[in-house]
Amino acid sequence: MAEGKVHIFDTTLRDGEQVPGCKLNTTEKLELALQLEDLGVDIIEAGFPVSSPGDFESVSQIAKTIKNATICGLTRAVQKDIEVAAQALKYAVRPRIHTGIGTSDLHIKAKFNSTREEILKRAIQCVKWARNFTDDVEFYAEDAGRTDNDYLARVVEAVIKAGATVVNIPDTTGYCLPYQYGEKISYLINNVSNIEKAIISCHCHNDLGLATANSIAGVIAGARQIECTVNGLGERAGNTSLEEVAMIIKQHKDLGLYTTIKSEKLNPISRLVSDTMRMPVQPNKAIVGSNAFSHSSGIHQDGFLKDAQTYEIMNPEEVGADSSKIVLTARSGRSALAYRFQKLGFQFDRNDIDVLYNEFVKVADSKKEVEDGDLTSIAKKYQSKVAIA
Ligand code: KIV
Ligand code: ZN
């Protein structure tokens, strides 16, 4: 049985950077790599060195600078790619080459006009090439999500025999359902004779919004590495979101798993990535969205003010977010209104609040959110009326 540590493989600088408009220069990549290391990720996929001189330079600078995390470079199953990646990773304390090829029948036919047997040979060959440069070689079976399990097991067994130490099972198109992805991982564990010699990695895309669920199904089934990105950035609908898997594993102690992510750094790094990549985070994004700890309906606010745990399963401080917010809208109730008046320095009793509430809903109906300035003017008007009467 695999132990409980789940390795976090961050690919913000590679798969995340593939998002149109998110291109980074070397200085930006280096700054993000330093913050990712500080966050506690185990592996940083720094780029695809053969793809451009700029990417080569970024991987090379990151490899020279980062001392604790493993630095990984992506390649195709092409000798030149592997040699260039090895060159870029030359000064890394812990270099990893990530090489692989498409294994689904669709990729084999449409992309390579090849056969399963030929692809199997290329898979073995690329791992052997990579092993000439480093002991840490990860093999990816692209489109494993749609690859026949029997054939996938043959490929995985063969690449482990050739020296792969990590086998990545990407759901490249985000097609799998969580139970199917979990079964795929179980199938490999039960049918690949040398599977204990490698770590199984989940690399799930989010085309159907299932990337996080699939990655978690993968580790429940026995995978011990998750490939993910800050804010879930990545090709098309993105990758598995780092902050989501880190917090699911942290919150669900029942899974018996852990990561080395320092959760209080999740919101700061989310903001840094968002600013550097000029890619806003949707307000309702789990863990790092601006509304992740906002309460706006009367029922929720009342419960939250009595005991925060009624509507929050984690403290905002635990993930480095600003403290919880009570947002006043037309759906808010009297408890929240009294609370906000109190925060602004106004002391009102229950009868006052009943009257003030009527004034508040009139304003709330005409606005999306009632701000401190609105509340102050409602309170002051009320106080002067009471003083005259
Ligand atoms: O989605 C994918 O299959 C990939 C591989 C290159 C690992 O990004
Ligand atoms: Zn990917």
Side-chain angles (χ1 to χ4, degrees):
M1 184 62 194
E3 293 195 353
K5 158 124 184 184
V6 176
H7 296 85
I8 296 295
F9 175 116
D10 180 274
T11 183
T12 308
L13 304 181
R14 199 279 295 170
D15 215 321
E17 205 230 13
Q18 290 172 204
V19 175
C22 283
K23 169 105 188 55
L24 300 172
N25 62 36
T26 298
T27 314
E28 290 168 328
K29 274 195 156 192
L30 192 54
E31 170 58 16
L32 289 181
L34 286 163
Q35 296 308 320
L36 287 167
E37 180 176 52
D38 197 37
L39 176 70
V41 308
D42 300 281
I43 303 109
I44 297 173
E45 187 164 53
F48 183 5
V50 85
S51 65
S52 74
D55 222 34
F56 179 94
E57 180 59 15
S58 299
V59 176
S60 174
Q61 290 302 328
I62 292 169
K64 282 180 189 158
T65 311
I66 298 292
K67 298 286 177 259
N68 296 320
T70 295
I71 304 302
C72 177
L74 184 77
T75 80
R76 294 166 295 180
V78 171
Q79 191 167 7
K80 174 88 190 316
D81 284 27
I82 293 167
E83 286 165 3
V84 171
Q87 186 66 19
L89 293 167
K90 198 161 73 182
Y91 297 105
V93 177
R94 284 177 248 284
R96 175 179 295 182
I97 294 178
H98 189 190
T99 188
I101 195 159
T103 52
S104 66
D105 288 333
L106 192 61
H107 278 227
I108 292 173
K109 267 256 132 301
K111 273 175 68 176
F112 305 114
N113 189 24
S114 187
T115 62
R116 285 186 176 186
E117 293 314 309
E118 271 310 307
I119 293 297
L120 182 63
K121 280 190 205 141
R122 284 184 67 179
I124 295 168
Q125 184 60 71
C126 69
V127 170
K128 287 188 173 161
W129 282 325
R131 277 300 299 246
N132 290 330
F133 299 102
T134 171
D135 291 345
D136 188 352
V137 173
E138 174 168 341
F139 175 82
Y140 64 85
E142 197 181 7
D143 205 19
R146 293 185 297 174
T147 299
D148 167 63
N149 281 348
D150 265 347
Y151 177 64
L152 185 62
R154 278 183 65 208
V155 173
V156 168
E157 190 159 299
V159 296
I160 294 174
K161 197 162 166 229
T165 45
V166 182
V167 282
N168 178 10
I169 309 301
D171 184 22
T172 304
T173 55
Y175 179 72
C176 289
L177 294 171
Y179 84 90
Q180 293 170 329
Y181 191 74
E183 280 178 3
K184 193 171 277 288
I185 302 299
S186 298
Y187 187 89
L188 296 175
I189 290 174
N190 294 326
N191 292 280
V192 172
S193 66
N194 52 3
I195 197 71
E196 75 293 339
K197 294 203 174 108
I199 291 176
I200 303 177
S201 183
C202 310
H203 179 113
C204 298
H205 278 268
N206 205 30
D207 299 65
L208 292 173
L210 291 171
T212 294
N214 283 341
S215 298
I216 295 297
V219 292
I220 289 174
R224 284 295 175 268
Q225 178 175 286
I226 295 180
E227 307 198 2
C228 47
T229 59
V230 175
N231 299 336
L233 292 171
E235 282 276 352
R236 307 181 308 281
N239 280 72
T240 299
S241 142
L242 185 154
E243 54 279 4
E244 291 174 11
V245 289
M247 288 314 291
I248 290 168
I249 289 172
K250 185 165 185 202
Q251 294 300 107
H252 278 273
K253 303 265 185 289
D254 48 312
L255 294 177
L257 302 172
Y258 68 96
T259 73
T260 50
I261 296 298
K262 297 176 194 130
S263 63
E264 68 285 359
K265 295 188 184 277
L266 289 171
N267 268 271
I269 200 158
S270 160
R271 283 193 290 271
L272 179 68
V273 166
S274 169
D275 292 348
T276 315
M277 291 192 159
R278 294 159 287 275
M279 193 50 69
V281 175
Q282 70 193 58
N284 59 319
K285 170 82 183 60
I287 324 289
V288 295
S290 55
N291 285 345
F293 297 95
S294 293
H295 304 274
S296 94
S297 93
I299 296 170
H300 289 212
Q301 290 170 334
D302 185 51
F304 173 79
L305 290 169
K306 287 174 176 147
D307 179 344
Q309 288 184 33
T310 53
Y311 289 97
E312 279 185 357
I313 58 163
M314 60 198 133
N315 295 327
E317 298 76 33
E318 204 180 335
V319 293
D322 295 338
S323 50
S324 308
K325 275 186 277 179
I326 293 288
V327 181
L328 291 181
T329 70
R331 303 291 153 259
S332 298
R334 285 170 175 73
S335 329
L337 185 63
Y339 168 83
R340 284 283 295 272
F341 275 136
Q342 205 184 347
K343 287 254 156 210
L344 290 170
F346 297 103
Q347 296 299 337
F348 293 121
D349 65 20
R350 224 192 137 88
N351 293 334
D352 296 327
I353 291 293
D354 279 342
V355 181
L356 284 158
Y357 187 73
N358 291 332
E359 291 312 305
F360 158 74
V361 280
K362 279 185 211 155
V363 178
D365 258 343
S366 64
K367 299 191 78 178
K368 288 196 190 314
E369 190 180 327
V370 180
E371 319 273 356
D372 285 353
D374 304 310
L375 290 177
T376 308
S377 87
I378 294 171
K380 289 200 167 149
K381 246 191 230 158
Y382 177 72
Q383 283 173 328
S384 55
K385 250 196 216 160
V386 173
I388 292 163

